[in-house]
Amino acid sequence: MRIAIVGSGYVGLVSGACLADFGHKVVCIDKAEAKIVDLQAGRMPIFEPGLEDLVSKNSATGQLAFSSELAPAVADADVVFIAVGTPSRRGDGHADLSYIYEAAREIAAAVRGFTVVCVKSTVPVGTGDEVERIIRNCNPTADVAIVSNPEFLREGAAIDDFKRPDRIVIGLPSDERSREVMAEVYRPLYLNQAPIMFTGRRTSELIKYAANAFLALKITFINEMADLCENVGANVQEVARGIGLDNRIGSKFLHAGPGYGGSCFPKDTLALVKTAQDSGAPLRLIETTVAVNDQRKRTMARRIVLACGGNVRAKTIAVLGLTFKPNTDDVRDAPSLSIIQALIDFGAHVRVYDPEGMEQAKLMLGASVDYAKGVYECAKGADALVIVTEWNQFRALDFERLSRSMSKQLVVDLRNIYRREEVCKHGFEYVNIGEGVAEDGSVFAAAAE
């Protein structure tokens, strides 16, 4: 099957590489010519484990190609995926659909013969209807069917998610021909018995937003439980395990931390809130989730200040982890950005390190922080070491070495990747999330036992 993918960002590139690996003939299109040149040369614009090898293999066989010219690829395609960005619109928080609609107009001018146009970008309910209206207005003779096929890819595990999905959701129009085409696109996954759910187009669009909002709600719930645990002398990790063993709840996304970030949850929850408000059915739980999460990030900075004795002016704070999660270089809406900015506002000198996110962080933070080349360079002379992202590289730190190089022996672990006794035996003060500690430094739960 011949497939064109409009947009070669995270979703478009991963989807294109995987579909090519299934045996389809795929062309990934992007207006950024420099990006296309890099991709043709095998240079990846993003970090995603396994992606470079997958792109290289399928480019070599001719299954996967890259182009800045939309018209030829679309004219030749059986299916055109729209995978462009839908960032939050400035001013009101709605999803900015201008890239979607621009792609629709260009596709309308280029399409030839029956073609399924599939919206893979995350879009509000009703976007597929507007894409169809645009295409039919621009080209009344176009023989197209507009389909919704949201992505459910986790950064850092995207290839495995695409090839072994929990589910494939396909929102169909009334044109039954599109069902057969989309079934053929995903036919290779039948061998893995991947569940394919065919539904209405608007329902499909809402499923994506509802899934992200519910996961964001779980994260926010356990973060608030962590605060309660600290005040009453409980341990949030044990609370999370205790409720996660209930199959109705499940253990995933019950890890207390500094709040959610990334390219999806912040913008998608906000867009869903706006859609719900406009429809007259406001989602109060999600409104609160957004507000609590935004506040939590700066609250984490105040926690660091408190751990430093209530004042960080002229002190050096070493921050480990800039990306919103491990195994990606994505720093969009990462908790680290809000935490670092708040620390700077409090007068701290901040030094940072991340295994993959340094270049992207420089675009956000500029010269406001110092950039280290490794963990121990970052920690040298620091008054506090703060773990913000749970990279594996940070899970086995040499605390003896850190104690010799740091100015003060203080670790603030915002991801709970260490055990208190493991850190404290090296003479460090240890501050984490969701563990009640008495005034004498003992853990409430341990004292109760």
Side-chain angles (χ1 to χ4, degrees):
M1 182 164 284
R2 297 162 300 179
I3 296 174
I5 298 182
V6 181
S8 296
Y10 187 86
V11 173
L13 183 56
V14 171
S15 299
C18 290
L19 288 169
D21 207 46
F22 290 163
H24 298 304
K25 193 85 169 178
V26 179
V27 179
C28 289
I29 306 154
D30 203 286
K31 287 188 172 182
E33 293 188 8
K35 180 190 290 186
I36 294 299
V37 169
D38 283 344
L39 287 168
Q40 290 172 339
R43 295 186 293 271
M44 298 299 101
I46 58 173
F47 174 76
E48 176 64 33
L51 182 60
E52 185 173 353
D53 290 342
L54 196 65
V55 169
S56 176
K57 180 181 77 171
N58 286 285
S59 296
T61 62
Q63 291 298 120
L64 178 63
F66 302 97
S67 176
S68 57
E69 297 295 327
L70 179 144
V74 168
D76 193 47
D78 301 301
V79 182
V80 179
F81 284 94
I82 298 177
V84 298
T86 56
S88 293
R89 192 167 64 192
R90 289 186 178 182
D92 62 7
H94 282 279
D96 183 352
L97 301 177
S98 58
Y99 302 111
I100 296 281
Y101 297 153
E102 181 181 358
R105 285 187 284 269
E106 294 185 19
I107 290 167
V111 72
R112 299 288 183 272
F114 175 66
T115 307
V116 172
V117 177
C118 184
V119 180
K120 202 155 191 63
S121 304
T122 301
V123 295
V125 175
T127 301
D129 298 349
E130 183 63 14
V131 168
E132 182 169 5
R133 187 194 67 79
I134 289 171
I135 291 178
R136 301 210 183 282
N137 283 352
C138 293
N139 183 359
T141 64
D143 188 10
V144 296
I146 313 302
V147 168
S148 167
N149 177 215
E151 54 84 16
F152 299 97
L153 307 179
R154 297 169 298 160
E155 293 191 37
I159 292 171
D160 192 60
D161 283 350
F162 196 99
K163 291 188 172 185
R164 297 170 182 82
D166 294 325
R167 74 288 200 198
I168 301 165
V169 177
I170 300 174
L172 299 173
S174 57
D175 192 330
E176 278 298 312
R177 293 177 297 173
S178 60
R179 178 189 289 265
E180 297 176 8
V181 172
M182 294 306 296
E184 181 62 21
V185 168
Y186 288 109
R187 183 182 58 79
L189 291 179
Y190 292 168
L191 297 176
N192 295 340
Q193 297 183 323
I196 298 183
M197 176 182 178
F198 289 102
T199 185
R201 195 163 59 197
R202 286 186 165 228
T203 300
S204 172
E205 292 168 341
L206 188 55
I207 285 171
K208 169 64 176 180
Y209 272 119
N212 279 356
F214 189 79
L215 295 176
L217 179 63
K218 284 188 76 174
I219 293 170
T220 304
F221 170 81
I222 202 63
N223 283 340
E224 291 208 312
M225 287 301 301
D227 293 343
L228 178 60
C229 285
E230 291 172 7
N231 288 349
V232 302
N235 186 306
V236 73
Q237 290 174 285
E238 294 177 7
V239 169
R241 184 169 183 268
I243 64 175
L245 289 170
D246 186 329
N247 290 330
R248 296 169 300 175
I249 297 173
S251 61
K252 293 183 178 180
F253 288 83
L254 287 179
H255 303 287
Y260 61 77
S263 62
C264 294
F265 285 6
K267 74 176 181 66
D268 292 352
T269 50
L270 186 57
L272 180 60
V273 164
K274 297 299 181 181
T275 297
Q277 289 172 346
D278 286 353
S279 72
L283 300 173
R284 301 304 186 197
L285 284 174
I286 308 307
E287 290 175 6
T288 302
T289 295
V290 171
V292 170
N293 188 70
D294 287 344
Q295 184 182 24
R296 184 169 184 81
K297 296 175 185 179
R298 287 189 70 90
T299 299
M300 293 297 102
R302 292 194 292 273
R303 177 184 295 259
I304 296 165
V305 172
L306 184 62
C308 291
N311 183 15
V312 293
R313 187 164 300 280
K315 292 182 179 179
T316 297
I317 309 298
V319 173
L320 298 184
L322 298 170
T323 55
F324 81 97
K325 64 180 291 188
N327 296 321
T328 181
D329 62 351
D330 196 344
V331 300
R332 286 174 289 183
D333 279 309
S336 63
L337 300 180
S338 297
I339 292 169
I340 289 168
Q341 186 57 59
L343 290 172
I344 293 171
D345 292 343
F346 287 128
H349 171 72
V350 180
R351 191 185 303 130
V352 303
Y353 172 70
D354 188 280
E356 294 292 340
M358 298 288 273
E359 293 305 314
Q360 294 300 319
K362 288 176 182 177
L363 299 177
M364 301 285 190
L365 297 172
S368 64
V369 301
D370 287 340
Y371 300 91
K373 295 180 180 179
V375 171
Y376 299 101
E377 179 183 316
C378 186
K380 186 176 181 180
D383 295 279
L385 181 70
V386 182
I387 301 171
V388 180
T389 311
E390 66 275 31
W391 284 91
N392 284 336
Q393 290 94 322
F394 304 154
R395 292 180 181 272
L397 298 176
D398 184 341
F399 287 102
E400 290 291 340
R401 181 177 176 183
L402 288 171
S403 68
R404 293 192 298 269
S405 66
M406 290 178 63
S407 176
K408 300 286 179 60
Q409 292 178 314
L410 170 63
V411 172
V412 181
D413 182 0
L414 300 183
R415 295 292 183 174
N416 290 347
I417 63 175
Y418 284 98
R419 294 190 302 272
R420 176 175 299 279
E421 60 271 19
E422 179 183 358
V423 180
C424 292
K425 72 181 181 181
H426 296 286
F428 280 85
E429 180 185 354
Y430 180 69
V431 177
N432 64 348
I433 300 291
E435 185 179 33
V437 179
E439 290 183 4
D440 64 359
S442 63
V443 178
F444 274 130
E449 293 171 1

